[in-house]
Amino acid sequence: MASVRRSRGESHFTRYLILGAWAFFCLAPVLWFLSIGLRPRVEIITPQPIYWPTFSLDAWHMIWEDWPMAKYLRNSVLAIIGSVLIDLVLAIPAAYSLSRYQYRGRDDIGFYILSTRMMAPAIVAIPIFFLFRNFGLLDTIWALMLIYAAINLSVVTWIIRSYMLDIPKELEDAARTDGASDLRILWEIIIPAILPGIITASVIAMIFAINEFLFTLLIASTPNAYTMSVALANFTGGSDGVIYNAIALVAFLAFLPVFLVVVAIQKHLSRGLTMGAVKG
Amino acid sequence: MARIELSGIQKRWGAAWGVRDVNIDIADEEFVVFLGPSGCGKTTTMRMIAGLEDPTEGDVRMDGQLMNDIDARDRDVAMVFQGYALYPNMTVYENIRFPLRMRGVPKEQHDDMVRRAAAMAELSDYLDRKPAALSGGQRQRAALARAIVREPQVFLMDEPLSNLDAKLRQAMRVQIKHIQRELKITTVYVTHDQIEAMTLADRIVIMQSGLIQQIGTPDEIYNNPANTFVAGFIGAPPMNLISGSLSGGTFTAEGVSVSGLRTDLSGRVTLGIRPEDCSLSETDAHLTGLVYGVEPTGDITYLTMKTGDKLFEVKAGRDFRAALDTPMSVAFDPDRICLFDFETGERLG
Ligand SMILES: Nc1ncnc2c1ncn2[C@@H]1O[C@H](COP(=O)(O)OP(=O)(O)OP(=O)(O)O)[C@@H](O)[C@H]1O
Ligand SMILES: [Mg+2]
């Protein structure tokens, strides 16, 4: 007995060792970033290795005081939240239709929605630029919301659809015989039942949106519509050269909220990702 | 509160048949039980009455009104689903209350109605639970409570008691019958359990492969089966069916000889006799064979006999015991003998 228990303990230990090593491997760049962000600029560009780094909030003060980081942050948050809301409003009914109704071309429509994801973004960059210019939306967060929503719509629809496919049809039949209208069924039966899927899809959309760079750069030309990801690019040019510690700090700040959300909902997230992949 | 007529009902999915041809007129306030083997189309028929499935052919009428194009939510029916279909995000209380909310029943009546339905289903202690935290039987009772919470035109119950233990099933059976009589609601009920069918039904509908085999009161079905399928399906153990030949009023098969039957028929026929209409007898033996098995159940003893290569069931007295392979003779009650066409299986005469 004792030996059995010990060997199980050892295998646990080995398992944690491997997992710990893997976690360190994945998180090391993040910690590296944080350490760069919290050190003075000169120290980062010295060619000699430094064994005992100096702590400094230079970059912290710089991004908030010399740069309108609060505004960028606000733009990011508003554009992302807005885009996720747009996605949900469009994707939930679309997913419902794709998962529930039989009609000609349903699967083609489903695939078409997904295929928008397969296209290289650069192909549509120029037309989109002119489109938004004609609507007078250039350099606004409204444009960012629309763009992010468009980019993520397919993924959000697809994930929510896969959750809806899991709901037994009998549940809706029951609600219908109980006298519920389609809208009631969607609102009172379906949406509560797929809430984990909706949260998962939203988080995934947020992750894509916060990292979006190309279209944001295209649309945003002033701090009016700059987001965190584009703000990073501001630290690379100009007379000051590349400001590594500010870049690192902003990157870390952009990473942190997503990381925390993902940790909080990781159980649902892995299900959402694999389901989207397998069932889609 | 509603008469239901199904005429020429068919349901196909591409080449797959659900229901081939169903015609039945269910009277107002009647309790009709559908009985048949798995996959024979019971659920499908019920779903067409509920409006959840459109018939490929044929008409569904309620109180004379054609219902084919009327949506499920506008047909005033309450259904217990075979798979329960409880709303997973709602508590048992909210589940039972849902139809009241949807049908616009005044709010102040909800609590009373929900609690009364829950009490009938013996669920009062579980009202705050979510369906996931209930046992199979409790879920089934929640589904039943949700159906009986209001007074619809029609009750549709798809095997509502299949998952309960014998004692609870008996209690619920009485409850259901009582509610149905009290509220006078037309009820269509599906079951695999013959006792349930016999005790509950005003009329039983026997189905097989999408076709109705017989419609009749429990007595009619039991005593006068329309064909060998019904004869072999109803009763536990079911009717003995022996194929042999008839000539001059005498039926003969291996180990079997019955005279005094009708003389207007001759040729290959199937003779049917229920196990309880046979008696062990030394004289007037109609059938002889060897004891193959003896199964005492307490109140009666099932005796299985072997004649030639066929098995034959007899219900013997509670004290009957016999060693295997003892030769035995059996007499049939001549008034209870049924004859069926050998080819078609249809009842003769
Ligand atoms: N959506 C469908 N598509 C194709 N075939 C179907 C569909 N629904 C039911 N069927 C078929 O129709 C037939 C009747 O099914 P139904 O569910 O009515 O059987 P049932 O009598 O209720 O059986 P059980 O006692 O097992 O519940 C079955 O052969 C089934 O495979
Ligand atoms: Mg069924």
Side-chain angles (χ1 to χ4, degrees):
Chain A
M1 270 309 284
S3 72
V4 170
R5 195 170 296 156
R6 172 141 28 88
S7 78
R8 188 176 294 162
E10 274 167 11
S11 83
H12 261 214
F13 178 76
T14 332
R15 196 180 304 167
Y16 280 112
L17 195 70
I18 295 171
L19 289 175
W22 178 247
F24 179 77
F25 178 75
C26 294
L27 285 174
V30 177
L31 297 175
W32 182 247
F33 255 61
L34 185 61
S35 89
I36 293 175
L38 295 178
R39 281 149 66 191
R41 197 175 169 202
V42 280
E43 191 175 304
I44 293 156
I45 44 181
T46 49
Q48 297 86 10
I50 289 168
Y51 297 103
W52 194 246
T54 335
F55 176 77
S56 147
L57 285 176
D58 284 357
W60 177 263
H61 292 301
M62 179 182 175
I63 62 172
W64 298 109
E65 285 154 23
D66 301 350
W67 299 81
M69 196 51 60
K71 190 161 192 194
Y72 300 161
L73 187 64
R74 190 200 65 140
N75 288 345
S76 279
V77 168
L78 289 181
I80 288 166
I81 290 178
S83 75
V84 170
L85 289 180
I86 293 172
D87 276 339
L88 292 180
V89 167
L90 296 176
I92 289 173
Y96 185 63
S97 157
L98 288 172
S99 67
R100 273 300 178 267
Y101 298 117
Q102 295 286 343
Y103 46 87
R104 191 189 302 251
R106 181 190 66 174
D107 294 343
D108 301 325
I109 293 175
F111 182 75
Y112 167 74
I113 290 176
L114 193 64
S115 73
T116 58
R117 198 65 208 177
M118 302 172 183
M119 180 174 54
I123 296 173
V124 288
I126 306 291
I128 280 183
F129 178 82
F130 284 111
L131 197 65
F132 280 115
R133 197 186 61 181
N134 293 346
F135 282 117
L137 286 173
L138 285 183
D139 207 29
T140 63
I141 55 173
W142 304 112
L144 297 180
M145 269 181 214
L146 289 174
I147 279 286
Y148 297 164
I151 291 171
N152 288 321
L153 188 58
S154 57
V155 170
V156 173
T157 308
W158 216 248
I159 292 174
I160 292 177
R161 172 183 167 272
S162 74
Y163 274 80
M164 282 181 175
L165 285 175
D166 269 11
I167 301 178
K169 185 167 177 297
E170 234 183 27
L171 220 53
E172 285 172 51
D173 291 339
R176 197 158 288 134
T177 35
D178 283 343
S181 64
D182 281 350
L183 224 55
R184 265 298 182 62
I185 293 174
L186 189 63
W187 190 248
E188 295 212 27
I189 310 290
I190 310 276
I191 291 182
I194 59 157
L195 210 53
I198 292 178
I199 293 172
T200 304
S202 306
V203 168
I204 289 171
M206 274 172 54
I207 294 171
F208 283 131
I210 207 166
N211 288 325
E212 209 293 321
F213 181 75
L214 176 71
F215 288 105
T216 313
L217 195 63
L218 193 74
I219 282 161
S221 46
T222 71
N224 267 342
Y226 277 173
T227 62
M228 300 281 274
S229 65
V230 169
L232 284 173
N234 285 334
F235 298 113
T236 57
S239 50
D240 288 339
V242 184
I243 311 167
Y244 287 112
N245 53 354
I247 293 179
L249 197 60
V250 173
F252 182 78
L253 290 178
F255 161 84
L256 196 62
V258 176
F259 178 73
L260 293 178
V261 170
V262 168
V263 168
I265 65 147
Q266 57 177 330
K267 206 170 68 189
H268 297 312
L269 198 61
S270 61
R271 178 165 178 263
L273 284 170
T274 51
M275 273 183 56
V278 176
K279 272 207 168 168
Chain B
M1 286 199 268
R3 170 180 173 201
I4 306 167
E5 293 156 88
L6 305 180
S7 45
I9 295 284
Q10 295 182 15
K11 180 68 191 178
R12 268 171 310 199
W13 292 273
W17 282 93
V19 166
R20 284 169 205 271
D21 184 22
V22 165
N23 295 282
I24 180 172
D25 192 343
I26 300 171
D28 190 16
E29 298 180 24
E30 194 176 17
F31 198 122
V32 166
V33 173
F34 280 67
L35 197 58
S38 186
C40 70
K42 305 182 294 291
T43 298
T44 308
T45 307
M46 214 175 226
R47 290 174 58 85
M48 288 189 284
I49 298 175
L52 297 169
E53 216 80 68
D54 292 328
T56 316
E57 295 285 337
D59 293 339
V60 178
R61 285 171 203 277
M62 283 187 195
D63 283 336
Q65 191 197 350
L66 187 65
M67 300 300 276
N68 288 27
D69 295 327
I70 305 223
D71 201 83
R73 83 174 58 90
D74 302 319
R75 304 186 186 188
D76 191 13
V77 307
M79 183 157 174
V80 180
F81 287 81
Q82 199 169 359
Y84 316 151
L86 296 172
Y87 311 125
N89 52 301
M90 300 181 198
T91 60
V92 170
Y93 185 94
E94 283 303 323
N95 262 282
I96 301 175
R97 185 169 159 237
F98 189 77
L100 302 179
R101 284 202 289 131
M102 296 301 124
R103 299 279 178 192
V105 174
K107 263 210 174 68
E108 55 282 3
Q109 300 174 17
H110 288 189
D111 194 59
D112 278 352
M113 294 172 84
V114 169
R115 287 182 193 282
R116 202 182 34 172
M120 281 184 193
E122 301 189 19
L123 268 177
S124 303
D125 296 340
Y126 303 97
L127 288 174
D128 296 331
R129 301 240 194 129
K130 293 272 178 72
L134 296 177
S135 75
Q138 289 161 349
R139 284 178 207 177
Q140 192 159 34
R141 281 180 279 149
L144 187 61
R146 185 176 61 188
I148 61 179
V149 71
R150 61 190 196 94
E151 293 182 24
Q153 297 278 316
V154 178
F155 278 137
L156 301 174
M157 302 190 177
D158 200 347
E159 307 195 22
L161 307 181
S162 60
N163 229 332
L164 307 184
D165 61 62
K167 194 157 156 271
L168 195 53
R169 186 184 296 206
Q170 145 88 30
M172 296 279 98
R173 208 161 69 203
V174 175
Q175 284 279 17
I176 289 177
K177 185 143 187 171
H178 182 78
I179 294 168
Q180 196 265 344
R181 287 284 182 273
E182 192 176 77
L183 303 180
K184 302 188 188 333
I185 292 174
T186 314
T187 301
V188 180
Y189 188 103
V190 168
T191 179
H192 278 128
D193 182 339
Q194 293 189 24
I195 305 290
E196 239 168 79
M198 290 295 193
T199 53
L200 287 172
D202 292 325
R203 280 194 300 163
I204 294 179
V205 178
I206 309 273
M207 288 186 73
Q208 187 207 11
S209 339
L211 291 169
I212 290 182
Q213 299 295 323
Q214 187 172 2
I215 304 177
T217 64
D219 284 345
E220 282 166 7
I221 299 265
Y222 194 81
N223 296 325
N224 292 309
N227 55 41
T228 49
F229 174 79
V230 176
F233 191 73
I234 291 286
M239 187 178 269
N240 292 296
L241 296 169
I242 311 161
S243 48
S245 60
L246 183 68
S247 74
T250 300
F251 174 89
T252 45
E254 192 177 0
V256 183
S257 170
V258 186
S259 52
L261 300 173
R262 41 199 293 191
T263 50
D264 55 334
L265 292 166
S266 64
R268 304 265 297 146
V269 295
T270 301
L271 179 144
I273 184 82
R274 292 213 174 268
E276 64 272 30
D277 297 327
C278 303
S279 52
L280 298 172
S281 140
E282 295 306 321
T283 56
D284 317 326
H286 293 128
L287 174 144
T288 53
L290 303 176
V291 173
Y292 187 76
V294 177
E295 300 165 280
T297 62
D299 56 345
I300 55 164
T301 303
Y302 294 112
L303 164 64
T304 309
M305 307 208 356
K306 190 163 189 176
T307 45
D309 58 352
K310 297 279 185 339
L311 296 181
F312 188 90
E313 295 282 341
V314 177
K315 280 187 189 168
R318 64 191 290 176
D319 297 325
F320 175 84
R321 297 291 182 274
L324 295 190
D325 292 330
T326 315
M328 282 281 166
S329 308
V330 175
F332 302 161
D333 180 344
D335 297 334
R336 296 286 188 181
I337 292 173
C338 302
L339 292 177
F340 303 94
D341 188 289
F342 179 76
E343 301 294 337
T344 63
E346 292 302 315
R347 182 76 179 273
L348 295 168

